[in-house]
Amino acid sequence: MREPSLIWLETGDDFPPVQMAWGEDSPMPGLLAAGGTLDAAHLQAAYREGIFPWFSPGQPHLWWSPDPRMVLHTANFRLHPSLRKTLRKFIRTPGCEIRIDTAFRQVMTHCAQTPRAGQSGTWIVPSIMDAYCELHHQGKAHSVETWVNGQLVGGLYCVALGQAVYGESMFAHATDASKIALAALVALCRHHGATQIDCQQATSHLASLGAAEVRRSAFLTEAQHQQNQPEMHWQWCPVYWNTLSLGLNTDDTAQ
């Protein structure tokens, strides 16, 4: 099979249409282009079109837009009995708390350094770190953090444009700490009316939590609608847990 040609971007070039991404029968399905500029402005432009960067150390900037796309519809979040029990215990235990945007670079650093099955390195290279931190300072990238007794034990970071949320990476240094952060993100999204969280690539872990593959066109239609909604308020309030129907009492979610 002949390998498709790859679009190379010069500094400042616009992204090509996502329909030009490599197909499912290619060596790297979803690969759209290489090169170009990696900074907050270009990241925001990429996400608005359903494009994200993903590359290893020593590679050029690689830009992706896979079809199908792994998406977690917030209404479909799967709260298994064990996770429900974990969340109830977390919420009721003094010293356990969710924080948002208090340690963004630290969350990214942990995501980069946490070993993952089947991976020998990380795609969160220094240029990725700097670009997303710049985007964070502009209010377009956020961290959801799991803290226990003053220690950051898990979390995730994401991009948000309006009410369109694009998940990036998670880490856990304690059992279920990343799942707790994801549950908090889902609760935050439900409270604000955000309908989907982009998960980019299919994994069995995400599927077990309710994520599923959808056609890129359907993902983009919903994402572009959500981008035009008012921005979410990125502060955590314990009452948001009530959107997950955990069976909590008023004291559990008191301010």
Side-chain angles (χ1 to χ4, degrees), residues 77 79 84 87 183-184 186-187 190 240-247:
F77 179 58
L79 199 57
R84 184 184 299 273
L87 286 171
V186 170
R190 286 185 178 182
Y240 295 165
W241 287 124
N242 292 334
T243 67
L244 300 182
S245 301
L246 294 171

Side-chain angles (χ1 to χ4, degrees), residues 77 79 83-84 86-88 90-92 96-99 144-146 179-188 190-191 236-248 252-254:
F77 179 58
L79 199 57
L83 180 56
R84 184 184 299 273
T86 295
L87 286 171
R88 286 173 176 166
F90 178 86
I91 294 164
R92 291 167 172 163
C96 294
E97 58 180 325
I98 294 294
R99 301 180 190 175
V144 181
E145 309 150 8
T146 305
K179 291 181 182 179
I180 292 170
L182 178 59
L185 176 60
V186 170
L188 178 77
R190 286 185 178 182
H191 175 80
W236 179 251
C237 181
V239 73
Y240 295 165
W241 287 124
N242 292 334
T243 67
L244 300 182
S245 301
L246 294 171
L248 301 169
D252 294 326
T253 55

